Amino acid sequence: MPRPRNQTARRAQLVQAAAQAVLERGVTNARLRDIAAQAGLTPASVLYYYPDINDLLVAVFEQGTGTYVLRRQKAVEGCTTAWAKLAACVTSGVPFPGEAETTSRLLYELLPVTFRSDEAAALQKAFITRQTALYQQVLDGGRDAGDFRLLAPSDFLARSFVALEDGYGIDVLSGTATAAETEARLLHHARLMTGTPDVD
Protein backbone atom coordinates (compact mmCIF):
# COMPACT_ATOMS: atom_id res chain seq x y z
CA MET A 1 0.00 0.00 0.00
CA PRO A 2 1.50 3.38 -0.95
CA ARG A 3 2.31 5.64 1.95
CA PRO A 4 -0.11 8.63 2.14
CA ARG A 5 1.62 11.98 2.14
CA ASN A 6 -0.04 13.26 5.30
CA GLN A 7 0.39 10.57 7.92
CA THR A 8 -0.47 12.99 10.73
CA ALA A 9 -3.90 13.63 9.23
CA ARG A 10 -4.52 9.91 8.73
CA ARG A 11 -3.55 9.12 12.30
CA ALA A 12 -5.87 11.87 13.55
CA GLN A 13 -8.63 10.36 11.41
CA LEU A 14 -8.04 6.96 12.99
CA VAL A 15 -8.06 8.41 16.50
CA GLN A 16 -11.44 10.00 15.81
CA ALA A 17 -12.75 6.76 14.30
CA ALA A 18 -11.55 4.73 17.28
CA ALA A 19 -13.12 7.20 19.70
CA GLN A 20 -16.46 6.91 17.93
CA ALA A 21 -16.25 3.12 17.89
CA VAL A 22 -15.54 3.07 21.63
CA LEU A 23 -18.44 5.42 22.32
CA GLU A 24 -20.83 3.31 20.27
CA ARG A 25 -19.69 -0.18 21.28
CA GLY A 26 -17.61 0.18 24.44
CA VAL A 27 -13.88 -0.46 24.63
CA THR A 28 -14.31 -4.23 25.10
CA ASN A 29 -16.53 -4.56 22.03
CA ALA A 30 -14.83 -2.11 19.67
CA ARG A 31 -13.01 -4.30 17.17
CA LEU A 32 -10.50 -3.53 14.47
CA ARG A 33 -13.19 -3.88 11.81
CA ASP A 34 -15.42 -1.39 13.67
CA ILE A 35 -12.66 1.21 13.77
CA ALA A 36 -11.84 0.61 10.11
CA ALA A 37 -15.50 0.99 9.15
CA GLN A 38 -15.75 4.28 11.06
CA ALA A 39 -12.70 5.57 9.20
CA GLY A 40 -13.84 4.26 5.83
CA LEU A 41 -10.71 2.14 5.56
CA THR A 42 -9.77 -1.51 5.52
CA PRO A 43 -8.52 -3.22 8.71
CA ALA A 44 -5.14 -3.60 7.01
CA SER A 45 -4.97 0.16 6.52
CA VAL A 46 -5.59 0.72 10.22
CA LEU A 47 -2.87 -1.75 11.14
CA TYR A 48 -0.46 0.03 8.80
CA TYR A 49 -0.55 3.02 11.14
CA TYR A 50 -1.27 1.22 14.41
CA PRO A 51 0.02 -2.38 14.32
CA ASP A 52 -1.12 -2.70 17.95
CA ILE A 53 -4.70 -1.50 18.45
CA ASN A 54 -3.92 -0.81 22.09
CA ASP A 55 -1.55 1.92 20.91
CA LEU A 56 -4.44 3.48 19.01
CA LEU A 57 -6.62 3.36 22.12
CA VAL A 58 -3.85 5.02 24.11
CA ALA A 59 -3.76 7.77 21.48
CA VAL A 60 -7.52 8.21 21.87
CA PHE A 61 -7.11 8.45 25.64
CA GLU A 62 -4.32 11.00 25.29
CA GLN A 63 -6.40 13.21 23.02
CA GLY A 64 -9.46 12.87 25.26
CA THR A 65 -7.63 13.85 28.44
CA GLY A 66 -6.00 16.80 26.70
CA THR A 67 -9.33 18.06 25.39
CA TYR A 68 -10.96 17.62 28.79
CA VAL A 69 -8.33 19.56 30.74
CA LEU A 70 -8.14 22.35 28.16
CA ARG A 71 -11.92 22.85 28.34
CA ARG A 72 -11.70 23.10 32.14
CA GLN A 73 -8.85 25.59 32.03
CA LYS A 74 -10.72 27.82 29.60
CA ALA A 75 -13.82 27.74 31.81
CA VAL A 76 -11.82 28.91 34.82
CA GLU A 77 -9.86 31.55 32.90
CA GLY A 78 -13.13 33.16 31.81
CA CYS A 79 -14.01 34.07 35.41
CA THR A 80 -12.82 36.90 37.64
CA THR A 81 -13.83 36.20 41.27
CA ALA A 82 -12.52 33.38 43.42
CA TRP A 83 -15.94 31.76 43.81
CA ALA A 84 -16.75 32.10 40.12
CA LYS A 85 -13.48 30.36 39.27
CA LEU A 86 -14.17 27.53 41.72
CA ALA A 87 -17.76 27.14 40.54
CA ALA A 88 -16.57 27.03 36.92
CA CYS A 89 -13.98 24.42 37.82
CA VAL A 90 -16.64 22.31 39.52
CA THR A 91 -19.21 22.67 36.75
CA SER A 92 -16.69 21.89 34.02
CA GLY A 93 -16.09 18.52 35.68
CA VAL A 94 -19.75 17.48 35.51
CA PRO A 95 -20.76 15.45 32.43
CA PHE A 96 -23.55 17.69 31.21
CA PRO A 97 -25.13 16.69 27.87
CA GLY A 98 -22.94 17.63 24.93
CA GLU A 99 -19.16 17.72 24.68
CA ALA A 100 -18.64 17.26 28.44
CA GLU A 101 -20.73 14.09 28.54
CA THR A 102 -19.21 12.68 25.37
CA THR A 103 -15.64 13.22 26.52
CA SER A 104 -16.35 11.93 30.02
CA ARG A 105 -18.04 8.80 28.70
CA LEU A 106 -15.11 8.14 26.37
CA LEU A 107 -12.56 8.48 29.18
CA TYR A 108 -14.51 6.21 31.52
CA GLU A 109 -14.81 3.62 28.75
CA LEU A 110 -11.05 3.73 28.21
CA LEU A 111 -10.03 3.35 31.86
CA PRO A 112 -9.37 -0.42 31.46
CA VAL A 113 -6.63 0.48 28.98
CA THR A 114 -4.78 2.29 31.78
CA PHE A 115 -4.69 -0.94 33.80
CA ARG A 116 -2.71 -2.77 31.12
CA SER A 117 -0.60 -0.09 29.50
CA ASP A 118 2.22 1.75 31.24
CA GLU A 119 1.87 4.61 28.76
CA ALA A 120 -1.86 4.95 29.39
CA ALA A 121 -1.29 4.71 33.14
CA ALA A 122 1.20 7.58 32.92
CA LEU A 123 -1.34 9.61 30.95
CA GLN A 124 -3.98 8.92 33.60
CA LYS A 125 -1.61 10.04 36.35
CA ALA A 126 -0.82 13.24 34.45
CA PHE A 127 -4.54 13.78 33.82
CA ILE A 128 -5.31 13.63 37.54
CA THR A 129 -2.30 15.80 38.36
CA ARG A 130 -3.31 18.54 35.91
CA GLN A 131 -6.87 18.68 37.20
CA THR A 132 -5.71 18.69 40.81
CA ALA A 133 -3.27 21.50 40.04
CA LEU A 134 -6.07 23.55 38.49
CA TYR A 135 -8.22 23.15 41.59
CA GLN A 136 -5.29 23.95 43.86
CA GLN A 137 -4.50 27.10 41.90
CA VAL A 138 -8.09 28.29 42.32
CA LEU A 139 -8.20 27.37 46.00
CA ASP A 140 -4.86 29.04 46.76
CA GLY A 141 -5.92 32.16 44.90
CA GLY A 142 -9.14 32.42 46.86
CA ARG A 143 -7.38 31.81 50.16
CA ASP A 144 -4.65 34.35 49.45
CA ALA A 145 -7.27 36.94 48.47
CA GLY A 146 -9.11 36.35 51.73
CA ASP A 147 -12.20 34.95 50.00
CA PHE A 148 -11.78 31.33 51.10
CA ARG A 149 -11.27 29.85 54.55
CA LEU A 150 -10.05 26.41 53.61
CA LEU A 151 -10.92 23.57 55.97
CA ALA A 152 -7.87 21.55 54.90
CA PRO A 153 -4.65 22.09 52.93
CA SER A 154 -5.35 23.11 49.35
CA ASP A 155 -3.56 20.10 47.81
CA PHE A 156 -5.69 17.72 49.88
CA LEU A 157 -8.92 19.51 48.99
CA ALA A 158 -7.98 19.74 45.31
CA ARG A 159 -7.37 16.00 44.99
CA SER A 160 -10.58 15.30 46.89
CA PHE A 161 -12.58 17.46 44.48
CA VAL A 162 -11.27 15.45 41.53
CA ALA A 163 -12.06 12.16 43.27
CA LEU A 164 -15.60 13.30 44.09
CA GLU A 165 -16.15 14.30 40.47
CA ASP A 166 -15.02 10.89 39.28
CA GLY A 167 -17.45 9.12 41.58
CA TYR A 168 -20.39 11.36 40.84
CA GLY A 169 -19.61 11.24 37.13
CA ILE A 170 -20.31 7.52 37.11
CA ASP A 171 -23.71 8.21 38.68
CA VAL A 172 -24.56 10.66 35.90
CA LEU A 173 -23.42 8.45 33.05
CA SER A 174 -25.18 5.41 34.49
CA GLY A 175 -28.42 7.36 34.89
CA THR A 176 -28.66 7.18 38.68
CA ALA A 177 -28.28 10.98 39.04
CA THR A 178 -28.69 13.97 36.78
CA ALA A 179 -25.90 16.36 35.88
CA ALA A 180 -27.77 19.19 37.60
CA GLU A 181 -28.13 17.19 40.83
CA THR A 182 -24.45 16.33 40.75
CA GLU A 183 -23.43 19.92 40.12
CA ALA A 184 -25.52 21.07 43.09
CA ARG A 185 -23.91 18.48 45.39
CA LEU A 186 -20.40 19.39 44.30
CA LEU A 187 -21.01 23.12 44.64
CA HIS A 188 -22.45 22.61 48.11
CA HIS A 189 -19.36 20.62 49.06
CA ALA A 190 -17.14 23.36 47.61
CA ARG A 191 -18.89 26.00 49.69
CA LEU A 192 -18.46 23.98 52.86
CA MET A 193 -14.78 23.25 52.19
CA THR A 194 -13.97 26.90 51.45
CA GLY A 195 -16.03 28.45 54.23
CA THR A 196 -18.29 30.32 51.78
CA PRO A 197 -21.68 28.59 52.14
CA ASP A 198 -23.73 31.71 51.41
CA VAL A 199 -22.02 32.78 48.17
CA ASP A 200 -24.30 32.82 45.14
Side-chain angles (χ1 to χ4, degrees), residues 36-98:
Q38 284 286 347
L41 300 171
T42 65
S45 296
V46 177
L47 292 174
Y48 177 80
Y49 291 95
Y50 290 97
D52 187 339
I53 293 303
N54 281 331
D55 290 340
L56 175 54
L57 294 176
V58 170
V60 174
F61 188 73
E62 181 175 20
Q63 183 184 75
T65 56
T67 298
Y68 190 93
V69 172
L70 181 60
R71 178 174 53 80
R72 302 196 74 172
Q73 290 173 336
K74 286 183 176 179
V76 172
E77 289 168 0
C79 302
T80 55
T81 68
W83 176 255
K85 287 178 181 291
L86 183 55
C89 201
V90 167
T91 299
S92 65
V94 178
F96 279 97

Side-chain angles (χ1 to χ4, degrees), residues 108-151:
Y108 278 112
E109 286 282 2
L110 289 169
L111 270 180
V113 178
T114 70
F115 303 151
R116 294 174 175 80
S117 164
D118 290 341
E119 184 179 359
L123 289 170
Q124 170 67 1
K125 182 178 180 180
F127 181 46
I128 296 298
T129 298
R130 291 175 68 187
Q131 293 181 88
T132 301
L134 180 61
Y135 262 117
Q136 187 171 0
Q137 176 186 341
V138 171
L139 292 169
D140 286 342
R143 178 202 60 208
D144 294 345
D147 295 321
F148 293 159
R149 298 182 302 280
L150 304 183
L151 297 189

